[in-house]
């Protein structure tokens, strides 16, 4: 509560200071704060004004001091380590200088609940800048504003993401001109790929950039089935088009025309798209497939702007700006993946948290302004940035381990089921031996096991390991190699060494383990890494039971014949 009172008091003080009752020195120092205070709103769920200038100055002094200490003759650090630190320090300082981060005089942000619209907020963020900032970062979004309402009207009803921004990447090339070496390297790289220096290349793609993603209700994030994409940007001279057209030729089945390229099918990569590349009137268009062209050409198709949800987002936003961004329904594309990781109920709960937002970007005489309407306020965004996103990143990082661990547990369960299933098979072999003077079936492999089927001692399902996708034979006559998960060693009898193997798992049934039926009727699990063939299983058994030389030689001969028969060499 105290923090809240102090925050409101600080906001009130800012507004009071904006009224002009202070000395001229204080007025000049407070000017960036006044600019930020005028652009944001008080009395909501979030209010913050910050000044990063001292931080940047301190960082600059820190890096300068670090460079001096590293260059000291008393430094005990290895020379190569010192050079790397000096290079990093120089690059870091140069990057923020070129970007213009140190020109940022104040940042302001606020969130206010929208009256009569439950769960919706108006979020504002403002960056106070000099009237003519020099950093390329502030020039990337241009300096003007344009009408945006017609662009809102063009969005299809099932849009899940859209961005339409004025971008001027040419300012990066102009900033790099201050650095002769870096500028030359950029020109050389651009010339080798696009056959033009860097500045003309970036000038050619400066202007209005657009991205549109739509999705059907049953869209798949795995195959991209039902998801459509459009990317369009300026391409003066068609340099980017020609480069991408050359890349497209690497995809088999690509068809090229003068100003159009249709990529070959991407189904070999598990993707349903067949992208198209168009060049028309100085603009480059990339579509996910012909389906997207047909979809956009349908003038009677429903529009997002006609939905009540979008109208609530758009109401009250600025009419013009340097561009806009819309997002909504993105988590719905991942519902199957989320369900597999977290369960259907948790996936549905996550989908309810999906951020719906429409943001307008504006250039103002004193800085950069964004105004958005969203179901998240900036408190929630800040929490997501500080806690939720790192947590998701951690889950993403460990998910391969979790998947592997789950697969390992599943395999352990399958091993146990397999071992239990081998008990009836061991009993069937005992019954057969009792009826045939102590002899087990003489033939090797599936022929010996088929003998048990023909004698009616086991059912075909008993020869299928639970850890495999093998299918049981419908009857004894149709029993083949495809209906058997086990390997049989024939020719033994009850008087043979009780620890000789009669039946073993097909070597790939389980990860790093093999179940075995021995002559004495016992079933054992061998923890064996990479049991790739029968000979490896026999060698492992020999290390455990120390067979006589004739026994081991006989087993290896049987194993080699089975490996050859089943192509396990």
């Amino acid at each position: 509560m105290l923090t809240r009172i102090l925050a409101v008091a600080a906001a009130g003080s800012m507004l009071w200071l904006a009224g002009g009752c202070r000395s001229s020195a204080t007025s000049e120092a407070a000017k960036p704060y006044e600019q930020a205070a005028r652009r944001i709103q008080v009395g909501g769920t979030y209010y913050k004004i910050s000044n990063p200038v001292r931080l940047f100055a301190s960082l600059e002094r820190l890096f300068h001091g670090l460079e001096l200490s590293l260059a000291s003759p008393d430094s005990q650090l290895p020379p190569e380590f010192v050079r790397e630190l000096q290079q990093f320090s120089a690059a870091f300082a140069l990057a923020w200088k070129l970007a213009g981060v140190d020109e940022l005089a104040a940042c302001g942000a606020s969130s206010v609940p929208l009256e009569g619209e439950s769960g919706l907020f108006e979020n504002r963020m403002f960056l106070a800048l000099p009237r003519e900032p020099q950093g390329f970062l502030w020039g990337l979004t241009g300096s003007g504003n344009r009408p945006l309402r017609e662009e809102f009207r063009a969005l299809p009803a099932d849009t899940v993401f859209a961005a339409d921004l004025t971008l001027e990447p040419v300012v990066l090339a102009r900033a790099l001109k201050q650095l002769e070496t870096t500028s030359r390297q950029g020109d050389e790289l651009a010339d080798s790929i696009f056959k033009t220096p860097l500045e003309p290349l970036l000038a050619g793609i400066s202007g209005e950039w657009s991205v549109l993603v739509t999705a059907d209700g049953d869209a798949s994030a795995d195959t991209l089935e039902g998801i459509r994409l459009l990317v369009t940007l300026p391409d003066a001279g068609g340099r980017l088009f020609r480069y991408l057209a050359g890349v497209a030729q690497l995809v088999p089945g690509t068809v090229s025309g003068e100003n159009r390229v249709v990529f070959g099918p991407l189904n070999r990569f598990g993707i349903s798209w067949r992208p198209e590349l168009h060049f028309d009137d100085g603009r480059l268009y990339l579509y996910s497939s012909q389906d997207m062209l047909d979809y956009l050409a349908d003038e009677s198709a429903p529009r997002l702007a006609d939905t009540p949800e979008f109208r609530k987002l758009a109401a009250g936003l600025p009419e013009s700006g340097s561009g806009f961004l819309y997002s909504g329904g993105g988590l719905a594309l991942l519902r199957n993946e989320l369900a597999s990781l977290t369960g259907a109920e948790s996936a549905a709960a996550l989908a309810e948290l999906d951020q719906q937002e429409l943001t307008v970007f504006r250039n103002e005489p004193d800085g950069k302004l964004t105004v958005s309407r969203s179901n998240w306020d900036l408190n929630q965004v800040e929490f997501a940035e500080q806690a939720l996103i790192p947590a998701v990143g951690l889950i993403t990082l460990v998910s391969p381990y979790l998947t592997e661990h789950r697969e390992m547990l599943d395999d352990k369960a399958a091993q146990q089921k397999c071992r239990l299933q081998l008990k009836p098979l061991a009993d069937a072999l005992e019954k057969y031996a009792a009826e045939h003077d102590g002899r087990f079936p003489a033939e090797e492999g599936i022929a010996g096991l088929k003998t048990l089927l023909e004698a009616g001692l086991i059912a075909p399902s008993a020869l299928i390991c639970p850890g495999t996708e093998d299918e049981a034979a419908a009857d004894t006559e149709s029993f083949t190699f495809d209906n058997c998960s086990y390997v049989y060693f024939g020719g033994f009898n009850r008087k043979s060494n009780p620890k000789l193997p009669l039946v073993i798992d097909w070597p790939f049934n389980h990860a790093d383990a093999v179940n075995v039926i021995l002559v004495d009727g016992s079933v054992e699990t061998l923890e064996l890494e990479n049991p790739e063939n029968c000979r490896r299983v026999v060698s492992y058994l020999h290390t455990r039971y120390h067979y006589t030389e004739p026994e081991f030689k006989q087993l290896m001969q049987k194993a080699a014949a089975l490996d050859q028969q089943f192509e396990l060499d």
Side-chain angles (χ1 to χ4, degrees), residues 17-54:
L17 286 172
C21 299
R22 55 204 165 281
S23 69
S24 58
T26 306
S27 175
E28 189 61 31
K31 189 172 182 180
Y33 301 100
E34 294 178 13
Q35 294 171 337
R38 284 196 300 268
R39 300 291 184 178
I40 60 178
Q41 298 170 298
V42 182
T45 61
Y46 187 93
Y47 187 95
K48 179 185 288 186
I49 297 178
S50 57
N51 175 12
V53 173
R54 288 184 59 190

Side-chain angles (χ1 to χ4, degrees), residues 202-248:
L202 296 181
I205 59 174
S206 291
E208 186 180 343
W209 290 48
S210 300
V211 179
L212 173 64
V213 180
T214 70
D216 296 338
D218 56 352
S220 167
D222 284 335
T223 65
L224 305 182
E225 184 74 33
I227 300 175
R228 307 177 189 89
L229 169 71
L230 162 67
V231 178
T232 175
L233 67 153
D235 186 19
R239 297 182 181 94
L240 188 56
F241 171 79
R242 288 192 294 272
Y243 172 72
L244 293 177
V247 172

Side-chain angles (χ1 to χ4, degrees), residues 146 148 151-152 155 161-167 207-212 232 283 321-326 359 361:
R146 53 190 169 84
L148 298 174
E151 295 170 29
F152 292 171
L155 297 178
F161 178 84
D164 195 335
L165 300 171
T166 300
L167 296 178
E208 186 180 343
W209 290 48
S210 300
V211 179
L212 173 64
T232 175
R283 288 192 70 83
S322 60
F324 74 90
L325 182 147
Y326 167 78
T359 300
F361 301 85

Side-chain angles (χ1 to χ4, degrees), residues 112-173:
V112 174
L114 291 172
E115 189 175 347
E117 300 292 350
S118 176
L120 278 183
F121 302 86
E122 181 171 300
N123 301 326
R124 288 176 169 258
M125 297 187 68
F126 178 75
L127 306 180
L129 298 167
R131 184 165 291 276
E132 295 183 1
Q134 301 301 308
F136 75 82
L137 190 62
W138 315 124
L140 278 178
T141 55
S143 58
N145 298 308
R146 53 190 169 84
L148 298 174
R149 293 289 164 167
E150 286 304 311
E151 295 170 29
F152 292 171
R153 289 289 314 165
L155 297 178
D158 53 2
T159 298
V160 294
F161 178 84
D164 195 335
L165 300 171
T166 300
L167 296 178
E168 303 287 344
V170 68
V171 298
L172 173 58

Side-chain angles (χ1 to χ4, degrees), residues 67 186 256 321:
E67 289 174 2
S256 298

Side-chain angles (χ1 to χ4, degrees), residues 38 84 97 172 177 183 294 341 357 398 426 557:
R38 284 196 300 268
E84 287 186 12
K97 286 289 186 182
L172 173 58
K177 274 190 171 181
S183 181
D294 297 338
L341 286 172
E357 180 176 322
V398 303
Q557 288 174 343

